[in-house]
Amino acid sequence: MTEDNNKTAGAKPRQARTGLTSTGARKASAKSNRSRAREFALQALYQHLVGRNDPTEIDHFTRDLAGFHKADAAHYDALLHGSIEGAEQLDALIRPLLDRKLEEISPIEHAVMWIGVYEFQHCLDVPWRVVLNECIELAKEFGGTDGHKYVNAVLNGLAPQLRAAEVEADRASGKART
């Protein structure tokens, strides 16, 4: 029998085994420890932004969530505590690139932008394009329908300022998207 004979009318073709779900999000098994750390940090920062919960309480709660043991705990700590401690400075960098008041931005997109700006500034071992891609993926998975486009625009606008040499090197080699 040919492959066409095996298909039934109207049946969906089998999806190739990739690291993506049917919605395009990365499967849990395809995520790195750092990607998982970003997800947990996003959830924790959301609690901080929405509930104004104490960072220590948020931290204890988050560490008890299923799957936390697979996350890079040190990276999670840096993102959570660094973003909360540097919130004013992070917001000061983000605000000029917004087309509305910061208070009108979804708390998910706000937290994702904090993560991106924090990583641009403090996680120099992570290439700027990886930071940008990871934040876009977070916004796609947890944010509103087009929130990832907004996150992309803001972080892409900040990358040349915060990672000037790296962005310029990518532009010179033809790799940059900015």
Side-chain angles (χ1 to χ4, degrees):
M1 264 187 188
T2 65
E3 186 176 324
D4 289 333
N5 291 341
N6 287 333
K7 291 181 183 175
T8 58
K12 288 184 181 178
R14 266 192 185 161
Q15 283 190 325
R17 290 186 178 220
T18 65
L20 303 178
T21 65
S22 61
T23 62
R26 286 179 291 180
K27 292 181 181 176
S29 62
K31 293 179 182 175
S32 72
N33 293 349
R34 281 214 169 162
S35 292
R36 292 170 197 266
R38 289 180 189 96
E39 287 182 357
F40 286 110
L42 174 60
Q43 292 173 52
L45 290 169
Y46 178 86
Q47 287 182 48
H48 175 72
L49 285 165
V50 172
R52 295 290 171 205
N53 299 350
D54 175 69
T56 303
E57 289 177 22
I58 294 169
D59 189 20
H60 290 302
F61 173 81
T62 303
R63 287 175 182 279
D64 284 339
L65 293 173
F68 186 86
H69 68 283
K70 293 181 181 179
D72 179 336
H75 198 63
Y76 159 82
D77 283 338
L79 294 175
L80 173 62
H81 298 291
S83 293
I84 291 173
E85 290 165 12
E88 284 183 38
Q89 189 252 354
L90 297 174
D91 286 344
L93 289 166
I94 292 167
R95 262 191 197 94
L97 293 147
L98 302 178
D99 62 355
R100 61 192 94 149
K101 293 178 183 176
L102 188 59
E103 297 74 30
E104 296 173 5
I105 301 296
S106 148
I108 292 290
E109 279 91 30
H110 190 174
V112 171
M113 287 187 250
W114 274 359
I115 289 170
V117 175
Y118 181 86
E119 283 195 283
F120 278 160
Q121 292 183 307
H122 302 283
C123 303
L124 302 179
D125 61 316
V126 182
W128 78 274
R129 288 182 293 137
V130 171
V131 171
L132 183 64
N133 186 58
E134 288 285 329
C135 289
I136 290 167
E137 291 298 319
L138 280 173
K140 280 182 181 178
E141 190 167 349
F142 296 99
T145 304
D146 286 331
H148 68 283
K149 293 176 184 176
Y150 202 71
V151 166
N152 181 28
V154 170
L155 294 180
N156 230 338
L158 284 171
Q161 176 185 342
L162 301 175
R163 295 278 189 100
E166 195 178 348
V167 171
E168 187 51 42
D170 279 357
R171 278 191 183 141
S173 70
K175 292 180 185 176
R177 295 187 288 180
T178 60

